[in-house]
Amino acid sequence: MVQYNFKKITKVPTGKDFVDIVLSRTQRQTPTVVHKGYAINRIRQFYMRKVKFTQTNFHEKLSTIIEDFPRLDDIHPFYGDLLHVLYNKDHYKLALGQINTARNLIGKIAKDYVKLLKYGDSLYRCKALKVAALGRMCTVTKRIGPSLAYLDQIRQHMARLPSIDPNTRTILICGYPNVGKSSFINKITRADVDVQPYAFTTKSLFVGHTDYKYLRYQVIDTPGILDRPFEDRNIIEMCSITALAHLRAAVLFFLDISGSCGYTIAQQSALFHSIKSLFMNKPLIIVCNKTDLQSLAGISEDDKKLVEEMRSEALKTLIGQGGEPREGAEVLLTMSTLTEEGVIAVKNAACERLLDQRVEIKMKSKKINECLNRFHVAVPKPRDQKERPVCIPQAVLEAKAKEAAAKESKKLERDLEEENGGAGVYSASLKKHYLLADDEWKEDNMPEILDGHNVYDFVDPDILQRLEELEKEEGLLQEVGEEDEEMDVEDLTPQQQKELAEIRKKKSLLIREHRIKKSTAESRPIVPRKFDKDKRFTSERMGRQLSSLGLDPSKAIERARSKSRGRKRERSSNGDMDVDDGGSNKKMRARSLSMAESRSRSRPPTNVLVPGEGYKDSAQKIKAYKLGRNSVFKRNKDAKKGEGDRVIPNLKPKHLYSGKRSNGKTTRR
């Protein structure tokens, strides 16, 4: 038997949509131009083609609908009866029959009008015959509009049916409403069936899947059944009856011994006896549920008798299958879905009973005789009494021991994470893989900015070697300077020696003060005059200090004053503007006529490496310059002001793209 997938059924259009689809396709895919001057055979072929094409489209669409919907006589009886319960198979067959009749009528109409078109004697008559043919086809299609709408509703409902395989291993759950069937299927499968404390929460069949001994089992939850005549049962109850009647499955009859479902044990026993004919040739287990509210031993004697009668009936099914009657361990089980006590035991017992039955049926079939002669089970026999233990080479044992020791010794990041608090608490350290001279340095925090400088600009692997070279060079210079000083002191007079000692003393003080402040004079900030309270930075003081050192301070003072005044644009002395001589000299500031020659700051060539620029060598500097030029190339080409320029130019100015076009060239647009 084939397992049908009802979700693949094609959507059924309405009658009006059907006509629109076919006629628009005919208009698009057939020629549309014909003239009365054409030969009459050409005109006939033109209109015959349109009629035949329309008939072919109707035939294909209607045939697809008929073939997609399953035939109730050809599918599994379970599906046939289920569709009959849900949709009434008479109405279903009638709708499909009307579709088939419409398909035949459209084919007959096309055949008749093609014959008439062969004898059309003018363009007008051929066109009139084509219009009549297409009109009759559309009329037939519109008449089956209700059947199309009915079939589309059935298609939507069938797509929502659960995918049940009638031939696989199946466990069927049945019983009164609200006895715990849906709770049980939720416990043993991944199904999510709605569970509520009132009757008829489950209104259709629900399917879940579970595993037992590496085999997949299909678990079906059926709606509740009431104890009443067959004719009075509704569609919801008939779904359960259909599943019980046609599916070869292990049946679990649920019994609520606490009475909280609203039905007594007597009523549930009456239902069991009324549908016990459906349990024939099926593994049957009676499940006493809700033992957390009422134990099986605590019920009344009458109820115990009823339960015992049901157990004996279930035991007959076990004997009928060829099994041996045992104490009611396999046909009467207790459990509680609330505390999950006995749930797995019930599942295992049902799966085991079903598996035994399927194996027994296969062993009794004719095919087993054809397969048994292909199998041969070989059992080795000992040839003597000597023991022959397994021999593993010593080298292999040592290699396995080393591998096991390596696995135990090496800890993964996952192991460290579990030891240190788990995910969200443990943070993996990226520094522990650093290759450093001392492992204690790995967790040190390296500053990125120090004293206003980027630390990475001063990182140099050869810094110690260069420092040693500089110290040697400084030592040599100091030795040469001391020799020169000693030679100069011997040639000087006592007065000059005294002045030299004073100069050296002041020089050492200046060097010390300079070192206390900052390494370069450029980095020292300029002190405004209003903060220079003690007049430490004045040109007069600088002149006195230079004079005491024996130097001429005039040029230095003049340069300092010119720098402090700044430079302003001078007026032309030959201007025509009249100036009042009375107060102009007082208001105008004296300006120097000589102006320093201004020039741009000189820069070294690109390929020359300058200390302090941060490049490793000249090649790196050239590469950086090239990358810089390439990065601004596209921006300069698009006339952007900078990286932040996000202006979108108006690519279609209104004066060029609006208004009515006149005759003439439009290249300017």
Side-chain angles (χ1 to χ4, degrees):
M1 295 288 179
V2 181
Q3 182 183 4
Y4 283 86
N5 185 6
F6 300 129
K7 295 179 177 63
K8 291 185 179 180
I9 299 176
T10 310
K11 184 180 184 301
V12 182
T14 60
K16 185 176 181 303
D17 293 342
F18 210 118
V19 172
D20 292 343
I21 290 168
V22 174
L23 293 185
S24 65
R25 189 174 180 185
T26 303
Q27 183 70 10
R28 283 185 287 108
Q29 297 189 5
T30 56
T32 55
V33 178
V34 65
H35 298 291
K36 60 183 179 180
Y38 288 168
I40 190 64
N41 285 336
R42 185 175 177 183
I43 296 173
R44 290 170 184 167
Q45 290 294 332
F46 177 85
Y47 287 110
M48 286 166 62
R49 181 177 178 182
K50 282 191 175 292
V51 173
K52 288 180 180 178
F53 190 83
T54 306
Q55 183 265 335
T56 304
N57 282 339
F58 274 117
H59 188 276
E60 289 177 356
K61 297 284 185 184
L62 295 174
S63 298
T64 303
I65 294 172
I66 294 172
E67 291 170 1
D68 281 352
F69 279 89
R71 295 184 179 181
L72 300 184
D73 298 334
D74 297 342
I75 60 177
H76 193 278
F78 164 69
Y79 279 122
D81 281 5
L82 184 64
L83 294 179
H84 173 57
V85 167
L86 294 173
Y87 317 120
N88 192 341
K89 67 179 180 181
D90 296 333
H91 294 171
Y92 178 79
K93 288 183 176 181
L94 189 62
L96 287 178
Q98 289 179 351
I99 301 295
N100 190 33
T101 304
R103 181 180 64 175
N104 296 333
L105 282 175
I106 289 173
K108 188 176 180 182
I109 290 169
K111 186 178 179 181
D112 293 343
Y113 276 89
V114 166
K115 283 183 180 179
L116 293 174
L117 279 168
K118 288 181 180 178
Y119 301 100
D121 55 357
S122 65
L123 174 66
Y124 172 77
R125 187 159 297 178
C126 291
K127 184 176 182 180
L129 289 172
K130 187 265 298 184
V131 170
L134 267 61
R136 287 188 63 184
M137 292 181 194
C138 296
T139 302
V140 171
T141 307
K142 288 180 180 177
R143 284 178 181 173
I144 60 171
S147 298
L148 293 173
Y150 171 73
L151 288 176
D152 192 55
Q153 290 181 356
I154 290 180
R155 179 194 65 83
Q156 295 176 11
H157 196 280
M158 289 171 70
R160 293 191 290 268
L161 286 177
S163 181
I164 298 174
D165 186 1
N167 303 310
T168 190
R169 294 165 292 274
T170 307
I171 298 174
L172 201 61
I173 308 171
C174 65
Y176 256 94
N178 201 23
V179 294
K181 302 185 296 296
S182 300
S183 301
F184 178 71
I185 192 175
N186 286 344
K187 294 292 182 183
I188 66 171
T189 68
R190 297 182 65 184
D192 187 16
V193 185
D194 188 23
V195 177
Q196 297 295 339
Y198 49 80
F200 286 108
T201 307
T202 304
K203 297 180 181 179
S204 62
L205 300 177
F206 284 90
V207 181
H209 294 86
T210 186
D211 293 332
Y212 177 73
K213 288 187 177 180
Y214 304 103
L215 294 174
R216 179 61 57 91
Y217 286 79
Q218 180 178 254
V219 185
I220 300 178
D221 178 24
T222 61
I225 308 173
L226 298 178
D227 182 24
R228 52 186 177 181
F230 187 81
E231 297 79 11
D232 296 340
R233 291 196 169 102
N234 55 23
I235 294 176
I236 297 175
E237 294 175 273
M238 288 305 298
C239 290
S240 302
I241 299 297
T242 304
L244 283 170
H246 294 290
L247 291 179
R248 192 174 62 184
V251 180
L252 299 180
F253 186 83
F254 270 59
L255 195 66
D256 184 2
I257 57 176
S258 67
S260 60
C261 64
Y263 305 98
T264 63
I265 296 179
Q267 291 175 313
Q268 298 178 58
S269 175
L271 173 65
F272 176 82
H273 289 292
S274 66
I275 63 173
K276 67 181 179 181
S277 59
L278 300 174
F279 302 148
M280 296 302 295
N281 300 324
K282 296 188 179 87
L284 175 62
I285 297 177
I286 299 172
V287 181
C288 298
N289 193 18
K290 302 186 182 179
T291 54
D292 56 312
L293 300 177
Q294 176 70 53
S295 63
L296 184 61
I299 61 177
S300 63
E301 291 296 329
D302 296 338
D303 292 341
K304 283 184 180 180
K305 289 181 180 179
L306 294 174
V307 173
E308 190 64 28
E309 290 177 4
M310 288 190 283
R311 190 187 75 83
S312 61
E313 290 290 340
L315 210 56
K316 292 179 183 178
T317 62
L318 179 62
I319 299 171
Q321 295 171 15
E324 296 180 359
R326 288 178 278 178
E327 290 297 326
E330 291 191 359
V331 295
L332 181 63
L333 298 174
T334 59
M335 74 167 192
S336 171
T337 53
L338 181 64
T339 61
E340 298 186 9
E341 181 183 356
V343 172
I344 301 301
V346 171
K347 184 196 90 166
N348 293 346
C351 295
E352 193 67 39
R353 286 278 304 277
L354 180 62
L355 194 59
D356 292 343
Q357 187 210 30
R358 290 173 68 91
V359 170
E360 184 181 354
I361 292 173
K362 289 179 180 178
M363 291 297 292
K364 291 180 180 179
S365 65
K366 295 181 180 180
K367 291 183 179 180
I368 193 65
N369 296 326
E370 300 175 1
C371 298
L372 282 177
N373 56 9
R374 302 178 190 176
F375 300 126
H376 172 66
V377 182
V379 180
K381 296 180 180 179
R383 61 188 179 187
D384 51 24
Q385 301 299 325
K386 186 177 180 180
E387 293 185 2
R388 293 179 176 85
V390 178
C391 180
I392 301 175
Q394 187 65 26
V396 176
L397 294 174
E398 293 177 357
K400 286 186 177 180
K402 287 182 181 178
E403 187 177 351
K407 286 183 179 179
E408 292 178 0
S409 61
K410 185 178 180 180
K411 283 190 176 182
L412 302 177
E413 285 292 337
R414 185 181 297 172
D415 302 331
L416 294 174
E417 181 181 351
E418 292 176 356
E419 292 176 2
N420 294 282
V425 179
Y426 173 73
S427 178
S429 175
L430 302 177
K431 297 180 180 180
K432 62 183 178 182
H433 300 298
Y434 287 176
L435 301 177
L436 302 177
D438 190 353
D439 290 341
E440 295 181 357
W441 299 348
K442 289 182 178 180
E443 298 299 331
D444 291 348
N445 293 325
M446 180 180 289
E448 296 182 3
I449 303 296
L450 185 64
D451 295 336
H453 300 285
N454 192 348
V455 173
Y456 288 100
D457 291 341
F458 300 94
V459 173
D460 190 352
D462 302 331
I463 187 69
L464 297 176
Q465 183 181 353
R466 295 186 182 184
L467 179 61
E468 187 177 353
E469 292 176 358
L470 285 174
E471 289 177 350
K472 288 181 180 178
E473 185 179 353
E474 187 177 0
L476 293 173
L477 291 175
Q478 286 180 357
E479 291 177 1
V480 174
E482 289 176 358
E483 291 177 358
D484 294 342
E485 288 175 0
E486 291 175 359
M487 291 174 62
D488 294 341
V489 170
E490 293 176 356
D491 298 337
L492 296 176
T493 60
Q495 183 65 25
Q496 291 175 341
Q497 290 179 2
K498 186 177 179 181
E499 293 176 356
L500 181 61
E502 189 176 351
I503 290 171
R504 286 178 178 173
K505 183 179 179 182
K506 289 184 178 181
K507 183 179 177 182
S508 63
L509 289 173
L510 287 173
I511 291 172
R512 193 181 306 164
E513 188 176 349
H514 180 73
R515 286 177 179 172
I516 289 172
K517 292 181 179 178
K518 286 195 175 180
S519 58
T520 57
E522 294 177 358
S523 62
R524 190 172 67 188
I526 299 173
V527 182
R529 290 182 179 178
K530 64 179 181 179
F531 296 116
D532 190 14
K533 302 295 184 182
D534 51 355
K535 302 293 184 182
R536 294 180 59 194
F537 306 99
T538 59
S539 57
E540 288 80 3
R541 181 183 176 188
M542 182 181 68
R544 288 196 301 271
Q545 290 178 346
L546 292 175
S547 299
S548 63
L549 295 174
L551 300 173
D552 185 13
S554 58
K555 291 185 178 181
I557 293 172
E558 184 180 353
R559 178 174 174 79
R561 286 175 179 171
S562 65
K563 288 284 185 181
S564 65
R565 281 199 304 267
R567 291 164 53 196
K568 295 184 180 178
R569 185 167 61 89
E570 294 187 357
R571 295 177 182 270
S572 174
S573 59
N574 299 325
D576 298 334
M577 184 176 179
D578 295 335
V579 180
D580 187 7
D581 294 337
S584 62
N585 292 332
K586 296 179 182 179
K587 294 180 181 179
M588 293 177 64
R589 183 180 295 177
R591 297 192 180 98
S592 174
L593 295 176
S594 62
M595 297 178 64
E597 184 179 355
S598 63
R599 65 185 181 88
S600 61
R601 184 169 61 90
S602 60
R603 296 178 181 175
T606 308
N607 57 354
V608 176
L609 185 64
V610 179
E613 286 185 334
Y615 299 109
K616 184 171 65 174
D617 50 14
S618 58
Q620 190 183 33
K621 182 178 179 181
I622 293 170
K623 184 178 180 181
Y625 271 77
K626 285 183 179 179
L627 290 174
R629 286 198 303 272
N630 293 340
S631 65
V632 300
F633 176 76
K634 189 176 186 305
R635 189 174 70 227
N636 294 342
K637 186 178 179 181
D638 296 339
K640 299 285 187 181
K641 295 179 182 179
E643 294 178 355
D645 191 354
R646 299 290 186 270
V647 175
I648 300 175
N650 189 4
L651 301 178
K652 289 188 177 183
K654 188 174 181 181
H655 71 284
L656 290 180
Y657 288 90
S658 63
K660 184 179 179 182
R661 282 194 172 192
S662 59
N663 295 332
K665 298 180 180 179
T666 57
T667 53
R668 67 183 185 87
R669 294 178 185 258

